[in-house]
Amino acid sequence: MANSDAGRASSSNARGGGYEVFLNFCDQDTGEGFTSFLHRDLRRNCVRVFMYDEELRVGEETGGGLLRAIDDSQIYIPIFSKNYASNKWCLRELARMLDNTSKSEEKKILPIFYDVEPKDVDLKTPVYRTAIEMHKVEHEKKQREKFPHEVEYWEEALKKIDQIKGWELQKCKSQAELVDLVVEKVFQELKIRYKSMTEDLVGLDDRVAEILKLLDVNCSYEVRLLGIHGMGGIGKTTIAKVVYNDLSSCFVKCCAFLDDIRETVKKEGLVSLQKKLLKDIDSSGAVDTINDVDYGRRRIEATLGNKKVLIVLDDIDEEKQIENLIGQHRLHPGTRVIITTRNTSLLEFIEQRMARERKEMNSDHAPVIPPYKMKGMNFDDALQLFKKRALVDNSEAKDFDRLSRDIVFTTGGLPLTLEVIGSFLFRKPKRNWKNTLKQLKKMPHEHVQEKLMISYKALNYRQREIFLDVACFSINEDTVNANYMWEACEFNPNLEIYVLVGMSLIKIKDNNKFWMHHQLRDLGREIVRQQSLTNLGKRSRMWNSEEVLDLVKTQEIKEDVGALDLRGSSSHISISHEEIERFKSLRFLRLYNGNLHGDFFICLPKLRWISWRSPSPNVSVPSMHSKNLVVLELFDNHFKDDSKVWDLIKMATKLKNLTLVNCHCITRTPDLSKCLDLERLTFDDCGGLKEIDNSIGKLKCLLDLNITLCELIESVPNEIGELVKLERFSLMSCCTVSKLPTSISNLASLRKLDLSYTKIRSLPESIGKLRCLSDQWELPKAIGMLDKLEELYLGNRDELVGEIPDEIGDLSSLRVLNLCRTGICRVPGKINRLSHLSTLDLTGCDNIIELPELPASLIHLRITSRSLQVVPNLSKLTNLIELVLSDGSKGEYSSNLKHTFDLGWIGRLSKLKELELCLLNIAAPPTELGLLSLLEDLTLFGLNLQPLEQLPPSLHSLKLDNFSLRGPPPSNLKIPSNLMLCLSRLQEIQLSGFSQLQYLHLIDCELQSLSIPSSLRILDVYNCPNVVEIQVPGMRASLENLSISGCESIGRIVLCGEGGSLRVLDQSESSSSESTYCSPGVLCLSNALRKLNRLRLENSKNLLEIQVIGTLLSLQFIFFENCVVMEKLTGISNLKKLQRLYIFWCYKLRVVEGLDELECLTSLHVKQCYVLETLLDISNSKIPDECEIMVDDCRMLLDSGGPTTFKHYKRMARQGAPQSETNKEKAKMEEDAEEPNTELQLHFHPVASSQDHDISKEPPIYNVKEGTLPGNQNQTRQQDTNPLSISPLSSTQLQLQFHPSASSWDHEINEEPPIDDVREGTPPGNRNQSREQDSNPQSNSLLSCTEPELQFHPSGSRDHEINGGPPIDDVREGTPPGNQNQTREQDSNPQSISPLLSMFRYVVLMSHGLKKYILNHNLFLQVVMNLLDQEHFPIGS
């Protein structure tokens, strides 16, 4: 199995120094075009790419800087063009690249053949061979002695390229497609990831591929939940991370990965996870308002219902965690949820949730997704992983091979164990390996912790203490506070952590937080438990809140306890000084939801770190021994007297970190002059804080100062400027702070300044001394002093109004200026002095009236303003690749443009790739757009297209929105392969002559007739209510995807080809030799559509029938929805490869023919097709057993009860009408014929609905056949001609029996009487029971009862409604329901009526005794008597 380097971080910093990609190209050919586009896209995706500087190509020798760039790069991309071989520098670089790849398998060459072919590069044609010959001549004259074989090296390098697979531009649709392919390949080679991973991932590729197949993100209309289960340490979280990294790019920013949920819930509760989830997928700043689980779930449900997301829930162990983290409502189509768990009982819950998703979705296509079970690694992969950790290099592999194999075999293929044991044995002598093997052999495979103990025992005392601290308290905690505590305990945390990380016992995540595998965490905690199994006071650390409370209340001295974590307790905790002083060695105390009361001054002399949260009101602060305290954290504490808090802090002279969060009672920061070692100071959401003490200036060691959400602070003391080491300073959301002191310029070490959501409108002039500011509310004139500033983002700030100061023109290094959606009204003319400015974003700046001259360096320009009066002349911006120019009329349909402007200048922007013009009623330039030879995407909104004569040949996508055009587009206009028309007022569009058109999307258009070319592959017509005709002339149709929705008036669809046509014709038409004639409202699918893969028809009001009259082997997907008049779907058997068929809300559909022949069907969903009589013949169907079937609310069909397999559906049908009982029924029928007292046996179809029994309709007294089971319509009917089959009608007695388990609700006369499923002496639903009693003469004695029993089906409460009429449809002597077409010779027999009269008399006689079942008793009698046309008589007669 291939290795998986999935662990590369996504950020460039995480991937180490140097370059990753080296671009080798000829500047005169591609330097300002293709190569610059490729360079830009790679840079956008955080790839470190080298693009040469001319200064490095000087002289005849390869410069050192260029060589280093080549040697440091991992991927080389040579771009071969016409003049490439003429450039000796290109050839020198190529030779160096090939030399490097020959020495290292990690380096790759990805060649691109721009305007040449591989054979040209291989010197098989004169294109490059001539240039090489010229180099040889020149080399003989000048360089022979200095570089005797240089040209030979070049020639050899070019020939080697032919052996490497690359891309040819001429085989791609466009340059943009080629760039995308290259970038994607670079990502694959670099293994750029978004979730931080270990580098030693082995044997995951096949597993990842299996999971990706199960999730199938290409099915964007489905929701899929996948459970991954297996024992701890087997790699569930790892594979989930790899899959998450692979898929995250498909979900933009709507992704969330929740780690270690089981442990996080215990420590922080579900609310913290809900907040993180919403922050990740919604970027919501309002998550702080979530304070309980129910509200958090509702917020999540509202969010997940409106966007597709990717969510990983890692280490779930309870059902409620799933419900509260993804909600209980329907998820948005396209959503993927991955759940890892050790608890196999959760898998059934996940499957149930998935089934509910399939049922609730309107487009219910999701298949059944089985859970994925993680298995141990195979031996070869396990050996490879172990060797990666245990061996220095391959030279040792031979000496240690036998031992390595034995150890791997003994450990059993668990990745965690292999990694830890391998790391432990790294650089150890062979005797250590042998001793380790002996220990491992004594342990069973499943005893993972015992194996991990081998590494733990190898640690020294300090390393063990740190390991146990992390396992018990610090997982997912910042390393800073823990390091402060360990340093105060005279540990060397940096060194010890380095060892622990090297042994794979702990990890440091990208956000500088500790991480430890669940198995290692459990190992550490078990080690602590084993310190004393019975006496909690003998353990060194306590983290279970219940156990801690029990321990606190005991009277004994706890000398050994060094750390207490009291999180997770739901009840309030109160601890006295007498109780706490018994903990003589306590160095760490975390107390949440609790109070300390008493005098703690002489207590806890060894305490180094206290974290205290007490949400109860009027908390009193005890006096405490804080001399040795280094970390003090106070959360949600409402102190009665903050002076005692400050007294506590004054004594903490060794304090390193002071944090106060949500402490609203404090009004002033303390005197910190004694805390000179303080490095981190935080006041967050302290609503009563008004003043910052001047003593803050004495904190010369302070690195971080965070004063956030303190709304009463109005100013910052001038002493802030004395913090010479301060690196990060935040006043975020201190909304009353209006200015900064001038001394801020003295903060020479400041790297980050956050003033968002403050009233600061300007910065002091001295701010220019700082070099790292960004993201301010409004720029002062002094902004011009930031000459090193490269990117300035001020977007989405309504407060930014007025004019941008002229001094912005002094930002000589500025590359990006983002002012989108601000209130600015003017851009200064001096902006053209920004010679490095490449991106200017003025999207949504609706107050801008006109633009000044802009710098020629711009590559991306976006301007949208509703106030725009003048269309600027941008002819000098010849470097533009992207241009968006809009008057804001989109959505408004009005413009403030004052004149008619000429857009002729646009033809000079020769590098444009993306162009969007939204200029209402402005004439499109006739030919200038055709000059843009690189343009790929073009959007024109509101323009007058009448003058348009030419489009660029490179165009890939064209969107025309709200345009005006009189008549069809010119026939010589070259339409691209992808065309979208929106809000078109044209009534007819002729596109049949545009042979290159492949994708056509029509949205909200007024057209009535559409003619499209035979080359079209995808046609999507949406909400075009007036369209009556769509024509595709020409030869065979190339159509692959046809979707028509909301086109109510469509009356003709013609796809004519050699083999047939797809047509909806009216009667006046005649057929042609090339087309198949169809009646009005009939859609014919023929061989002309041999490439059709997907067919979707929605909201049609004219379509009566669909006929498949040809063999369409490509058609795999059919979706019909709300085709309200469609009655027939025939010829389905011709669709041999059909995989999915969905029919929703086709209320009049009666016939679906040929469905049983579909051997490839994987999904069949039918919903609310009320009159559909038959669907499947379960006895003869070729549909695969594993096909997913859902039949929902179809009144005449068996309901599947949600998605199920065809195998299960057949079992359901047979249980309702078992065909295996046919012979028994036949035998019974013969016996009944010989009995003198014969009886009438009534059978109703088990799936008959209330509508079937509607008395207001014509009573269908057919489909009943004596001795024949419902559903067995295809059985031999020899008995139909048997005179004995008629004799039972002479009986005057009828037995009607109630099911003993039927409730009063089932028998409610207000509902339809369920005389379906009625059989003499047989309870409903028991159709599979043996019917031996049928031949028993004693069974007939029941007829002597004076009060016959009525038998109702227990599940048919709706079937008993009398308002729908007694169900005497589907009743016919001796004929099973559904056999409407059988011969009815017996209908003329007068004796056939007497049993019905007898039945009604008996019903009347027994009705009085059934009052408890018949709520509307009188109404029941009235209906019966009306039917008999007799006088009503009193109850009880």
Side-chain angles (χ1 to χ4, degrees), residues 196-211:
S196 179
M197 303 285 296
T198 177
E199 294 182 356
D200 295 328
L201 298 181
V202 176
L204 284 183
D205 288 353
D206 291 347
R207 303 183 189 199
V208 170
E210 291 173 359
I211 293 177

Side-chain angles (χ1 to χ4, degrees), residues 441-459:
K441 285 182 177 180
K442 297 176 183 178
M443 307 169 190
H445 278 319
E446 62 271 14
H447 290 191
V448 179
Q449 289 191 0
E450 292 183 25
K451 298 172 183 178
L452 300 178
M453 273 294 292
I454 296 173
S455 294
Y456 174 79
K457 291 177 180 178
L459 303 175

Side-chain angles (χ1 to χ4, degrees), residues 92 106 186 358 588 625 884 947 1100 1314 1351:
R92 284 172 178 157
E106 296 181 357
V186 168
R358 293 194 299 267
F588 171 80
H625 191 290
V884 177
S1100 169
Q1351 187 178 46

Side-chain angles (χ1 to χ4, degrees), residues 193-397:
R193 302 292 180 183
Y194 301 96
K195 191 73 180 173
S196 179
M197 303 285 296
T198 177
E199 294 182 356
D200 295 328
L201 298 181
V202 176
L204 284 183
D205 288 353
D206 291 347
R207 303 183 189 199
V208 170
E210 291 173 359
I211 293 177
L212 291 176
K213 184 177 180 180
L214 290 174
L215 293 172
D216 191 9
V217 294
N218 293 321
C219 296
S220 58
Y221 42 80
E222 297 176 1
V223 172
R224 297 196 178 185
L225 289 82
L226 177 65
I228 302 177
H229 65 104
M231 66 180 296
I234 203 166
K236 300 184 297 295
T237 301
T238 300
I239 200 168
K241 287 182 178 179
V242 176
V243 172
Y244 175 85
N245 290 336
D246 279 349
L247 297 183
S248 55
S249 60
C250 302
F251 292 82
V252 196
K253 295 182 179 180
C254 299
C255 307
F257 193 111
L258 301 185
D259 295 276
D260 198 9
I261 291 173
R262 177 160 56 102
E263 185 65 17
T264 305
V265 168
K266 292 178 182 178
K267 287 185 176 181
E268 304 174 16
L270 270 169
V271 171
S272 65
L273 289 169
Q274 290 175 327
K275 290 180 178 180
K276 182 181 185 303
L277 178 69
L278 286 170
K279 275 187 176 179
D280 288 346
I281 64 178
D282 198 30
S283 302
S284 173
V287 296
D288 293 332
T289 61
I290 299 174
N291 51 20
D292 66 78
V293 173
D294 290 339
Y295 177 57
R297 187 187 68 246
R298 291 195 297 271
R299 285 282 304 277
I300 288 172
E301 288 169 345
T303 301
L304 300 189
N306 292 316
K307 61 173 66 177
K308 76 169 186 175
V309 298
L310 172 64
I311 297 176
V312 177
L313 305 179
D314 174 49
D315 198 20
I316 287 281
D317 66 340
E318 293 181 11
E319 294 177 2
K320 66 178 183 180
Q321 295 168 357
I322 300 176
E323 289 188 343
N324 288 318
L325 290 174
I326 63 173
Q328 300 173 349
H329 294 173
R330 193 181 71 204
L331 301 174
H332 193 277
T335 289
R336 298 293 183 268
V337 180
I338 302 171
I339 299 170
T340 71
T341 182
R342 302 183 198 179
N343 186 355
T344 55
S345 65
L346 288 178
L347 300 177
E348 184 178 353
F349 176 80
I350 295 171
E351 291 182 12
Q352 291 173 354
R353 174 61 190 269
M354 186 65 187
R356 196 175 76 205
E357 287 290 337
R358 293 194 299 267
K359 189 171 184 179
E360 291 182 354
M361 289 175 63
N362 288 333
S363 297
D364 198 356
H365 312 294
V368 177
I369 306 298
Y372 187 85
K373 181 178 181 180
M374 287 288 294
K375 299 178 182 179
M377 301 179 73
N378 65 49
F379 184 81
D380 291 337
D381 291 333
L383 182 63
Q384 183 182 354
L385 175 61
F386 175 77
K387 286 183 176 181
K388 274 193 170 188
R389 281 294 182 181
L391 300 176
V392 177
D393 51 44
N394 292 332
S395 62
E396 294 182 345

